[in-house]
Amino acid sequence: LVRDNRVVYGGGATELACSLAVTKEADKISTLEQYAMRAFSDALEAIPLALAENSGLNPIQTVADIKSRQVAEGNPRLGVDCMDRGIND
């Protein structure tokens, strides 16, 4: 029985979208709290990094490509495609 039909996208897409949002908000803060927010943002990237590495991809390049495409296209559904080895929506 499905009571809530909202979808959470896989492949680290959600974590990267949240990481980008937290980083954007951290840029607006001038106090020491910004460092905690940036550390949290970096921690969110660990999941897509692990997915890319375990898929045999270059993890840093893959995550950088996904983040840049999410920002450029405004598409938070982009994530690591572990099956076809690349980036997919």
Side-chain angles (χ1 to χ4, degrees):
L1 179 64
V2 177
R3 294 178 188 247
D4 190 352
N5 62 354
R6 292 180 281 187
V7 175
V8 176
Y9 295 97
T14 306
E15 289 81 3
L16 283 175
C18 289
S19 172
L20 290 169
V22 170
T23 300
K24 186 176 180 180
E25 290 301 314
D27 290 339
K28 298 177 184 176
I29 297 175
S30 61
T31 62
L32 290 175
E33 291 175 352
Q34 70 174 309
Y35 297 111
M37 292 177 75
R38 291 184 197 285
F40 179 69
S41 176
D42 289 342
L44 286 171
E45 293 179 12
I47 293 170
L49 278 169
L51 285 171
E53 186 173 10
N54 291 337
S55 298
L57 301 169
N58 180 346
I60 296 172
Q61 183 65 42
T62 303
V63 170
D65 290 344
I66 295 170
K67 285 174 66 174
S68 67
R69 283 188 57 192
Q70 277 192 2
V71 170
E73 298 174 15
N75 185 357
R77 298 178 302 272
L78 291 172
V80 179
D81 186 358
C82 297
M83 302 300 279
D84 291 330
R85 299 188 59 185
I87 300 171
N88 199 359
D89 180 0

